[in-house]
Amino acid sequence: MPNLTDDRQDMRLGERSDMKDEDKPKEYLVAEVGELRRKLAESEASRQALARAVEKLRDSQRKLRSLLDSSPEPIVVYNARGISLFVNSAFVRTFGWSREEVTGKRIDYVPDECAQETRETLARLFRGEKVPPFETKRMTKDGRILDIHISSAPYRDKNGGIGGHIVTLRDVTAYKQAEGERLLLAAAVEQAAEAIMITDREGKILYLNPAFQKITGFSREEAIGHRPSLLRSGKHSDQFYQRLWATLKKGQPWKGRFVNRKKDGQIYQEDATISPVRDSSGKIVNYVAVKRDVTHEVKLEKQLQIAQKMEAVGSLAAGIAHDFNNLLTVIQGFTEMLLLDKHPGDPEHDDLGKILQAAENGADLVRRLAAFTRGGKVSRKHVDLNSLLEEVKDLLERTLPKMIELDLQLDKDIHKVRADKNQIEQVLLNLAVNAKDAMPHGGRLSFTTENVMVDEERPGEHVGVKSGTYVLLVVADSGHGMEKEILDHIFEPFYTTKQPGAGTGLGLAAVYNTVKQHGGFIDCSSKPGVGTTFRVYWPASGGDVEERQAKPPTEIKGGSETLLFVDDDRYIRDLASKTFTRAGYKVLTASNGHEALDIFARKQHEISLVILDLVMPEMGGERCLEELLKIDPEAKTLIASGVAERGPGRKAPAEGTSGFIS
């Protein structure tokens, strides 16, 4: 058997380092080669494992970068010192810097206004504190300021410490702008003075703004879930609503006016625009109505219509007054001349007196018509309304039926009003007569006075009314009252609810006109079975004004000068000629301006005074006056006319005349 001891000894000898390879035993060399191969295999495996690990890490980094880069939100990876290690494509798109411009650097894109806040936030982050998402502002490369929503997450280093942060920056600028617009729209809708209503396709109310409650009296809780029909007043036909819905279901907006009823039963009018609301597919999903209460405007429109009717009637009355005045002037003039030649005991004296009285009555009617046109002369003085009411009360107690109780409640410290006493008296009598007619079986008629201030807001309820101090006269009766349909027309000329022959329809129109002439305004409220109340506002007097006393008539002295009298009415010319001739004057007459100029051009040195009518054919008085003054600037002239000196549609007579005779 082989000596194993010697073999082992030889092997040990082979392990000596100083032995050369050729001196080593073969077995040892084989073993060493195997060992080397094993170590090489282990080294290759380690290398391959390392390569795989590196590749895996690189793959993980690529995936992470790809994941971060594919995010629609801007992302920045910072190290512990705040240096940017990575920015994704969304960051580049949002802020405008390239990766090369920001990677490995500190990004200076914080506006000054946010600098302190940002430093404090970063300090908290790197202390390891948890910072919840927050909104701030960041700046783009081109200087635009964006609203940014920021959230961050820390990542750890190999030692477990905070290695940095991954920060996500969401651009919420457009969202905040849209949210701001939404809030602005919501605030505008909530605070709008117009009522805004949103319904579903079937008309069920889904939303109402506060103005709806203010206008209608219905709260949101009472109206939401119901249909707009809760406002119906019964003033519109079924066809009206059918046409409305037909328009809306065709996808077209509807515009019109509703006469609706409030929660308390009060009728009001509103202009409305109702529009379909469509979704993204174009399908109608809602309706929105914007409605404005126009009750006040309708009232003003009616007042304006009344004023326009009054003006039209006034123009007609002015024309009638002018022509009628000419007729009466002839009748009165010739009658007076005949009376001058008759003694009181003469049988014809009484007959002429009756003619003259009838003419004077007609003249009084002309004056009333002139006053109705706002062109008649109004003799205004300081009037104590309380004293006038006491006088009228005495008259009414004698004329009104005994079953009507009269009651005066007068403020002792009432201001005086500057007015025509006769016209105010006529207003009181007209209102009293209307009250009497409203109380055929008796009742109570009261007159109340007080001082009131009309502020800047109240005049808006009446056309042309100024703010200031007024004396309020309230005339109230307990009669049968009026429906609103009648109340809306009571001041219109010729409107009456009385039987034919029982009234002209001019009574309240005259009242309205008289009050307007004096710068005041009048209201009326009435309900069937309750009675009617008129509130008349008279402007208070401003200071003491000296009242001119009427001069007693003086004897007509007459004269011997030559007068030129110009009038288109032949009878007026005849009357003037006889009157002036009787007084000793020499009279020349002309029927129009052309004739007057021809006579004046030939005899200007003889003529001491020219008396001109205003309204004449071919050439009127004003044009004639201008031409006369061109011939002789020193010519003396008078305007004499039945047209008021400052009537409606007329300016004052041309400058240069010595005066005006009505």
Side-chain angles (χ1 to χ4, degrees), residues 308-612:
Q308 290 172 337
K309 287 181 180 180
M310 299 288 265
E311 186 173 354
V313 173
S315 298
L316 175 63
I320 294 173
H322 176 264
D323 292 340
F324 195 31
N325 185 69
N326 284 348
L327 296 174
L328 291 173
T329 299
V330 173
I331 296 172
Q332 282 183 291
F334 280 106
T335 303
E336 287 175 346
M337 291 182 67
L338 290 172
L339 277 171
L340 290 174
D341 297 329
K342 301 292 182 182
H343 297 289
D346 194 311
E348 295 178 351
H349 187 278
D350 289 343
D351 294 338
L352 290 172
K354 293 175 183 177
I355 295 172
L356 183 60
Q357 183 60 52
E360 289 176 350
N361 291 342
D364 181 63
L365 177 59
V366 170
R367 283 192 292 272
R368 292 182 183 222
L369 282 171
F372 188 78
T373 68
R374 291 181 293 174
K377 280 195 172 182
V378 178
S379 177
R380 295 188 182 180
K381 299 178 181 179
H382 288 302
V383 176
D384 184 337
L385 198 55
N386 287 351
S387 299
L388 184 58
L389 281 166
E390 294 286 358
E391 295 176 13
V392 171
K393 180 184 179 184
D394 293 339
L395 174 62
L396 293 177
E397 284 178 339
R398 295 193 301 269
T399 56
L400 292 179
K402 298 298 181 182
M403 59 271 204
I404 294 179
E405 175 190 355
L406 282 175
D407 179 35
L408 267 61
Q409 300 177 25
L410 309 180
D411 185 343
K412 294 181 180 179
D413 299 322
I414 206 75
H415 294 302
K416 289 186 177 181
V417 297
R418 192 164 183 272
D420 186 305
K421 182 178 178 181
N422 292 331
Q423 289 194 5
I424 293 186
E425 185 179 86
Q426 195 63 43
V427 167
L428 297 174
L429 293 175
N430 263 323
L431 294 177
V433 169
N434 273 277
K436 175 191 70 103
D437 293 341
M439 299 183 290
H441 305 296
R444 185 170 179 270
L445 173 60
S446 66
F447 295 85
T448 306
T449 60
E450 65 173 310
N451 296 320
V452 295
M453 280 294 297
V454 175
D455 57 26
E456 294 295 337
E457 296 179 1
R458 182 62 185 270
E461 299 180 8
H462 295 268
V463 179
V465 174
K466 299 179 180 178
S467 60
T469 305
Y470 287 74
V471 176
L472 172 61
L473 166 67
V474 181
V475 182
D477 67 61
S478 59
H480 50 61
M482 292 176 282
E483 297 284 352
K484 186 178 184 303
E485 290 74 12
I486 297 175
L487 190 62
D488 289 340
H489 300 282
I490 59 170
F491 294 119
E492 294 181 8
F494 307 116
Y495 179 83
T496 180
T497 57
K498 298 177 181 179
Q499 296 296 322
T504 63
L506 278 175
L508 288 178
V511 168
Y512 178 92
N513 197 65
T514 299
V515 175
K516 296 293 284 186
Q517 280 185 48
H518 285 79
F521 57 100
I522 182 170
D523 279 332
C524 180
S525 59
S526 183
K527 287 186 178 180
V530 177
T532 300
T533 299
F534 288 91
R535 292 177 177 83
V536 187
Y537 295 79
W538 303 97
S541 297
D544 295 328
V545 179
E546 183 180 353
E547 298 177 5
R548 292 179 294 178
Q549 299 295 324
K551 295 182 180 180
T554 58
E555 181 183 353
I556 299 175
K557 296 180 179 180
S560 59
E561 293 89 351
T562 299
L563 310 179
L564 173 58
F565 188 84
V566 188
D567 196 293
D568 62 312
D569 190 297
R570 177 167 63 90
Y571 298 110
I572 296 290
R573 292 197 305 274
D574 290 346
L575 175 62
S577 180
K578 289 187 177 182
T579 302
F580 288 125
T581 300
R582 187 171 185 135
Y585 295 98
K586 181 180 179 182
V587 183
L588 303 174
T589 62
S591 62
N592 58 56
H594 290 301
E595 287 186 17
L597 290 175
D598 182 59
I599 295 172
F600 188 80
R602 290 185 285 106
K603 300 185 178 184
Q604 59 178 298
H605 300 296
E606 301 176 27
I607 298 172
S608 299
L609 177 68
V610 180
I611 302 174
L612 282 167

Side-chain angles (χ1 to χ4, degrees), residues 5 43 59 107 156 176 220 222 262 283 288 340 369 374 377 411 451 456 479 496 512 538 590 604 623 626:
T5 302
S43 176
D59 185 56
I107 308 174
R156 303 288 173 176
K176 290 198 71 173
R220 287 175 172 173
E222 292 172 316
K262 299 182 180 182
K283 180 182 178 182
V288 58
L340 290 174
L369 282 171
R374 291 181 293 174
K377 280 195 172 182
D411 185 343
N451 296 320
E456 294 295 337
T496 180
Y512 178 92
W538 303 97
Q604 59 178 298
R623 175 69 185 284
E626 293 174 3

Side-chain angles (χ1 to χ4, degrees), residues 127-194:
R127 284 198 303 267
E129 295 182 25
K130 187 175 181 180
V131 177
F134 63 97
E135 285 190 7
T136 184
K137 295 183 182 295
R138 291 294 183 262
M139 187 167 55
T140 65
K141 184 178 180 179
D142 59 8
R144 291 180 296 113
I145 303 297
L146 303 180
D147 291 297
I148 300 295
H149 180 276
I150 293 181
S151 59
S152 65
Y155 63 87
R156 303 288 173 176
D157 59 18
K158 61 182 180 180
N159 299 319
I162 296 178
H165 285 79
I166 301 175
V167 178
T168 303
L169 306 99
R170 179 183 304 163
D171 181 5
V172 294
T173 306
Y175 168 78
K176 290 198 71 173
Q177 183 177 354
E179 179 66 7
E181 291 175 354
R182 186 190 68 80
L183 293 174
L184 180 62
L185 177 61
V189 169
E190 284 287 299
Q191 298 175 34
E194 289 78 13

Side-chain angles (χ1 to χ4, degrees), residues 318 370 373-376 643-652:
T373 68
R374 291 181 293 174
V643 174
E645 183 176 2
R646 285 175 174 83
R650 267 205 40 72
K651 60 182 180 178

Side-chain angles (χ1 to χ4, degrees), residues 189-226:
V189 169
E190 284 287 299
Q191 298 175 34
E194 289 78 13
I196 298 176
M197 173 195 301
I198 299 176
T199 73
D200 62 13
R201 290 181 60 190
E202 306 306 318
K204 185 183 295 183
I205 299 173
L206 304 177
Y207 168 82
L208 297 168
N209 70 340
F212 178 90
Q213 179 174 347
K214 183 178 179 181
I215 293 172
T216 68
F218 287 100
S219 67
R220 287 175 172 173
E221 293 74 16
E222 292 172 316
I224 289 178
H226 295 274

